Amino acid sequence: MGTPVFWAGLLALVGLAALITIGVAGRALHGQAAETPAIRIPLPAFELTDQRGARFGLEQLRGRVWIADFIFTTCPTVCPKLTQRMKEIEHRGRDLGDALHLLTFTVDPENDTPAVLAAYAASQQLPLERWTLLTGPLDQIESTVLDGFKIAMGKKESSPGLFSIFHGERLVLVDQQGVIRGYYEANDDGLDTILRDAGALVKSR
């Protein structure tokens, strides 16, 4: 059993087993990438106001996969980063065409009027044929963001008489029927995953 022939045969068998394992794992990963996300949270109907001053809501999004984020235009920290990440998604997702839409909700509707959102979109060079920015009465925004998306938002007193706005930083993927299919970090891995899942939803029609 100690002959060179024995050891050569054993190494060949180990190598073959490794190749089979890699092949199976590769097929499993490939299959996983094609699957649609399992999470399903139906969104309640909403109707808000877009950057043009027109009514826009869940009904206008029927039949399209869409990705939402939550910002306010005067935010100096995380919001510019979220907008940049959404711009990356728009650029990388162009092969999906009109089947993928982007939505930005303000969490500061008292200041972010339609005109302010339009100016913000222009300053950020957002492609408004594939991207909508939404505002509306505070109670409707809170109902949509807090109760519908399950995303945190609000104001807290940072010092006497001064308030700071806080909000969740996750990106949300919604399918053609208005059902939430996933929450994603706005980092490199999160963008890769949300684009993969969005593509799987588009192809599942």
Side-chain angles (χ1 to χ4, degrees), residues 51 69-83 104-124 126 131-135 165 167:
Q51 73 282 347
D69 76 333
F70 307 86
I71 69 162
F72 59 104
T73 60
T74 56
C75 167
T77 54
V78 69
C79 298
K81 297 176 184 177
L82 286 172
T83 298
T104 291
F105 293 81
T106 180
V107 296
D108 184 21
E110 294 165 314
N111 294 304
D112 287 340
T113 63
V116 170
L117 291 181
Y120 181 79
S123 70
Q124 297 292 320
L126 305 185
W131 195 326
T132 303
L133 295 84
L134 292 180
T135 188
I165 297 172
H167 58 92

Coordinates of all heavy atoms in Angstrom, one line a residue, residues 51 69-83 104-124 126 131-135 165 167:
Q51 N -41.8 65.2 -7.3 CA -41.1 66.4 -7.5 C -41.7 67.3 -8.5 O -41.3 68.5 -8.6 CB -39.6 66.1 -7.9 CG -39.4 65.6 -9.3 CD -39.8 64.1 -9.5 OE1 -40.0 63.4 -8.5 NE2 -39.9 63.7 -10.7
D69 N -35.3 54.4 -1.1 CA -34.4 54.9 0.0 C -35.1 56.1 0.7 O -36.1 56.6 0.2 CB -33.0 55.2 -0.5 CG -32.9 56.6 -1.2 OD1 -33.9 57.0 -1.8 OD2 -31.8 57.2 -1.2
F70 N -34.5 56.5 1.8 CA -35.2 57.5 2.7 C -34.2 58.5 3.1 O -33.2 58.1 3.8 CB -35.8 56.8 3.9 CG -36.7 55.6 3.5 CD1 -36.2 54.4 3.3 CD2 -38.1 55.8 3.3 CE1 -37.0 53.3 2.8 CE2 -38.9 54.7 2.9 CZ -38.3 53.5 2.6
I71 N -34.4 59.8 2.8 CA -33.4 60.8 3.0 C -34.1 62.1 3.3 O -35.3 62.2 3.4 CB -32.5 61.0 1.8 CG1 -33.3 61.7 0.6 CG2 -31.8 59.8 1.3 CD1 -32.5 62.3 -0.4
F72 N -33.3 63.2 3.6 CA -33.8 64.5 3.5 C -32.7 65.4 2.9 O -31.5 65.1 3.1 CB -34.3 65.1 4.9 CG -33.3 65.1 6.0 CD1 -32.7 66.3 6.4 CD2 -32.9 63.9 6.6 CE1 -31.7 66.3 7.4 CE2 -32.0 63.9 7.7 CZ -31.4 65.1 8.1
T73 N -33.1 66.4 2.2 CA -32.2 67.1 1.3 C -31.2 67.9 2.0 O -30.1 68.2 1.4 CB -33.0 68.0 0.3 OG1 -33.7 69.0 1.0 CG2 -33.9 67.2 -0.6
T74 N -31.4 68.3 3.3 CA -30.4 69.1 4.0 C -29.5 68.3 4.8 O -28.6 68.8 5.5 CB -31.1 70.2 4.9 OG1 -32.0 69.5 5.8 CG2 -31.9 71.2 4.0
C75 N -29.6 67.0 4.8 CA -28.8 66.0 5.5 C -27.3 66.1 5.0 O -27.1 66.0 3.8 CB -29.3 64.6 5.4 SG -28.2 63.3 5.9
P76 N -26.4 66.4 5.9 CA -25.0 66.5 5.5 C -24.2 65.3 5.6 O -23.0 65.2 5.2 CB -24.4 67.6 6.5 CG -25.2 67.2 7.7 CD -26.6 66.8 7.3
T77 N -24.7 64.2 6.1 CA -23.9 63.0 6.4 C -24.3 61.8 5.5 O -23.8 61.6 4.4 CB -24.0 62.7 7.9 OG1 -25.4 62.5 8.2 CG2 -23.4 63.7 8.7
V78 N -25.2 61.0 6.0 CA -25.5 59.7 5.3 C -26.3 59.9 4.1 O -26.2 59.1 3.1 CB -26.2 58.8 6.3 CG1 -27.6 59.2 6.6 CG2 -26.3 57.3 5.7
C79 N -27.2 60.9 4.0 CA -28.1 61.0 2.8 C -27.3 61.2 1.5 O -27.7 60.6 0.5 CB -29.1 62.2 3.0 SG -30.2 61.9 4.5
P80 N -26.3 62.0 1.4 CA -25.6 62.1 0.1 C -25.0 60.7 -0.3 O -24.9 60.4 -1.5 CB -24.5 63.1 0.4 CG -25.0 64.0 1.5 CD -25.8 63.1 2.4
K81 N -24.5 60.0 0.7 CA -24.0 58.6 0.4 C -25.1 57.7 -0.1 O -24.9 56.9 -1.0 CB -23.4 58.0 1.7 CG -22.2 58.8 2.2 CD -21.6 58.2 3.5 CE -20.5 59.1 4.1 NZ -20.0 58.5 5.4
L82 N -26.3 57.8 0.5 CA -27.4 57.0 0.0 C -27.8 57.3 -1.4 O -28.0 56.5 -2.2 CB -28.6 57.2 1.0 CG -28.6 56.5 2.3 CD1 -29.7 56.9 3.2 CD2 -28.6 55.0 2.2
T83 N -27.8 58.6 -1.7 CA -28.2 59.1 -3.0 C -27.1 58.6 -4.0 O -27.4 58.1 -5.1 CB -28.3 60.6 -3.1 OG1 -29.3 61.0 -2.3 CG2 -28.5 61.1 -4.6
T104 N -37.3 57.8 -4.0 CA -36.7 58.4 -2.8 C -37.8 59.1 -2.0 O -38.5 59.9 -2.6 CB -35.6 59.4 -3.2 OG1 -34.5 58.7 -3.7 CG2 -35.2 60.2 -2.0
F105 N -38.0 58.7 -0.8 CA -38.9 59.3 0.1 C -38.2 60.3 1.0 O -37.2 60.0 1.7 CB -39.6 58.3 1.0 CG -40.5 57.3 0.3 CD1 -39.9 56.2 -0.4 CD2 -41.9 57.5 0.3 CE1 -40.8 55.3 -1.1 CE2 -42.7 56.6 -0.4 CZ -42.1 55.5 -1.1
T106 N -38.7 61.6 1.1 CA -38.1 62.5 2.1 C -38.7 62.1 3.5 O -39.9 61.8 3.6 CB -38.4 63.9 1.8 OG1 -37.8 64.7 2.9 CG2 -39.9 64.2 1.7
V107 N -37.9 62.3 4.5 CA -38.4 62.1 5.9 C -38.5 63.5 6.6 O -38.7 63.6 7.8 CB -37.5 61.2 6.7 CG1 -37.5 59.8 6.2 CG2 -36.0 61.7 6.8
D108 N -38.3 64.6 5.8 CA -38.5 65.9 6.2 C -39.4 66.7 5.3 O -39.0 67.7 4.7 CB -37.1 66.6 6.3 CG -37.2 68.0 6.9 OD1 -38.2 68.3 7.6 OD2 -36.3 68.8 6.6
P109 N -40.7 66.2 5.2 CA -41.6 66.8 4.2 C -42.0 68.3 4.5 O -42.4 69.0 3.6 CB -42.8 65.9 4.3 CG -42.8 65.4 5.7 CD -41.3 65.2 6.0
E110 N -41.8 68.7 5.7 CA -42.1 70.1 6.0 C -41.2 71.1 5.3 O -41.6 72.2 5.0 CB -42.1 70.3 7.6 CG -43.1 69.5 8.3 CD -42.9 69.4 9.8 OE1 -41.7 69.1 10.2 OE2 -43.8 69.6 10.6
N111 N -40.0 70.6 5.0 CA -39.0 71.4 4.3 C -38.8 71.0 2.9 O -38.6 71.8 2.0 CB -37.7 71.5 5.0 CG -37.7 72.1 6.4 OD1 -38.1 73.3 6.5 ND2 -37.4 71.4 7.4
D112 N -38.9 69.7 2.6 CA -38.7 69.1 1.3 C -40.0 69.2 0.5 O -40.7 68.2 0.3 CB -38.1 67.7 1.4 CG -36.7 67.7 1.9 OD1 -36.0 68.7 1.8 OD2 -36.2 66.6 2.4
T113 N -40.3 70.3 0.0 CA -41.4 70.5 -0.9 C -41.1 69.9 -2.3 O -40.0 69.6 -2.6 CB -41.8 72.0 -1.0 OG1 -40.6 72.6 -1.7 CG2 -42.0 72.6 0.3
P114 N -42.1 69.8 -3.1 CA -41.9 69.3 -4.5 C -40.8 70.2 -5.2 O -39.9 69.6 -5.9 CB -43.2 69.4 -5.2 CG -44.2 69.2 -4.1 CD -43.6 69.9 -2.9
A115 N -40.8 71.5 -5.0 CA -39.8 72.4 -5.7 C -38.4 72.1 -5.1 O -37.4 72.0 -5.9 CB -40.2 73.8 -5.5
V116 N -38.3 71.8 -3.8 CA -37.0 71.5 -3.2 C -36.5 70.2 -3.7 O -35.3 70.0 -4.1 CB -37.1 71.5 -1.7 CG1 -35.9 70.9 -1.1 CG2 -37.4 72.9 -1.2
L117 N -37.4 69.2 -3.8 CA -37.0 67.9 -4.4 C -36.6 68.0 -5.8 O -35.6 67.3 -6.2 CB -38.2 66.9 -4.2 CG -38.5 66.5 -2.8 CD1 -39.7 65.4 -2.8 CD2 -37.3 65.9 -2.0
A118 N -37.3 68.8 -6.6 CA -36.9 69.0 -8.0 C -35.5 69.6 -8.1 O -34.7 69.2 -9.0 CB -37.9 69.9 -8.7
A119 N -35.2 70.6 -7.3 CA -33.9 71.2 -7.3 C -32.8 70.2 -6.8 O -31.7 70.2 -7.4 CB -33.9 72.5 -6.4
Y120 N -33.2 69.4 -5.9 CA -32.2 68.4 -5.4 C -31.9 67.4 -6.5 O -30.8 67.1 -6.8 CB -32.8 67.7 -4.2 CG -31.9 66.6 -3.6 CD1 -30.8 67.0 -2.8 CD2 -32.1 65.3 -3.9 CE1 -30.0 66.0 -2.2 CE2 -31.3 64.3 -3.3 CZ -30.2 64.7 -2.5 OH -29.4 63.7 -2.0
A121 N -33.0 67.0 -7.2 CA -32.8 66.0 -8.3 C -31.9 66.6 -9.4 O -31.0 66.0 -10.0 CB -34.1 65.6 -8.9
A122 N -32.1 67.9 -9.7 CA -31.3 68.6 -10.7 C -29.8 68.7 -10.3 O -28.9 68.5 -11.1 CB -31.9 70.0 -11.0
S123 N -29.6 69.0 -9.0 CA -28.3 69.2 -8.5 C -27.5 67.9 -8.5 O -26.3 67.8 -8.7 CB -28.3 69.8 -7.1 OG -28.8 68.9 -6.1
Q124 N -28.3 66.8 -8.3 CA -27.6 65.4 -8.3 C -27.7 64.8 -9.6 O -27.2 63.6 -9.8 CB -28.4 64.5 -7.3 CG -28.3 65.0 -5.8 CD -26.9 64.9 -5.3 OE1 -26.2 63.9 -5.5 NE2 -26.5 65.9 -4.5
L126 N -30.2 63.5 -11.3 CA -30.9 62.2 -11.3 C -31.8 62.0 -12.5 O -32.4 62.9 -13.0 CB -31.8 62.2 -10.0 CG -31.2 62.5 -8.7 CD1 -32.2 62.3 -7.5 CD2 -29.9 61.6 -8.5
W131 N -36.6 57.6 -11.9 CA -36.4 57.9 -10.5 C -37.5 58.9 -10.1 O -37.6 60.0 -10.7 CB -35.0 58.4 -10.3 CG -34.5 58.5 -8.9 CD1 -35.2 58.7 -7.8 CD2 -33.1 58.3 -8.6 NE1 -34.3 58.7 -6.7 CE2 -33.1 58.5 -7.2 CE3 -31.9 58.1 -9.3 CZ2 -31.9 58.4 -6.5 CZ3 -30.8 58.0 -8.6 CH2 -30.7 58.2 -7.2
T132 N -38.2 58.7 -9.0 CA -39.2 59.6 -8.5 C -38.9 59.9 -7.1 O -38.5 59.1 -6.3 CB -40.6 58.9 -8.6 OG1 -40.9 58.6 -9.9 CG2 -41.7 59.9 -8.1
L133 N -39.0 61.2 -6.7 CA -38.8 61.7 -5.4 C -40.2 62.1 -4.8 O -41.0 62.8 -5.5 CB -37.9 62.9 -5.3 CG -36.4 62.6 -5.7 CD1 -36.3 62.7 -7.2 CD2 -35.4 63.6 -5.1
L134 N -40.5 61.7 -3.5 CA -41.8 61.8 -3.0 C -41.8 62.6 -1.7 O -40.9 62.4 -0.8 CB -42.5 60.5 -2.7 CG -42.8 59.7 -4.0 CD1 -43.4 58.3 -3.6 CD2 -43.7 60.4 -4.9
T135 N -42.8 63.5 -1.5 CA -43.1 64.2 -0.3 C -44.6 64.2 -0.1 O -45.3 63.5 -0.8 CB -42.5 65.6 -0.4 OG1 -42.6 66.3 0.9 CG2 -43.2 66.5 -1.4
I165 N -33.0 65.3 12.8 CA -33.8 64.3 12.1 C -33.1 63.0 12.0 O -31.9 62.9 11.7 CB -34.2 64.7 10.7 CG1 -35.1 66.0 10.8 CG2 -35.0 63.7 9.9 CD1 -35.3 66.7 9.4
H167 N -33.4 58.7 10.6 CA -34.1 57.8 9.7 C -33.3 56.5 9.5 O -32.1 56.5 9.6 CB -34.5 58.5 8.4 CG -33.3 59.0 7.7 ND1 -32.6 58.2 6.7 CD2 -32.6 60.1 7.7 CE1 -31.6 58.9 6.2 NE2 -31.5 60.1 6.8

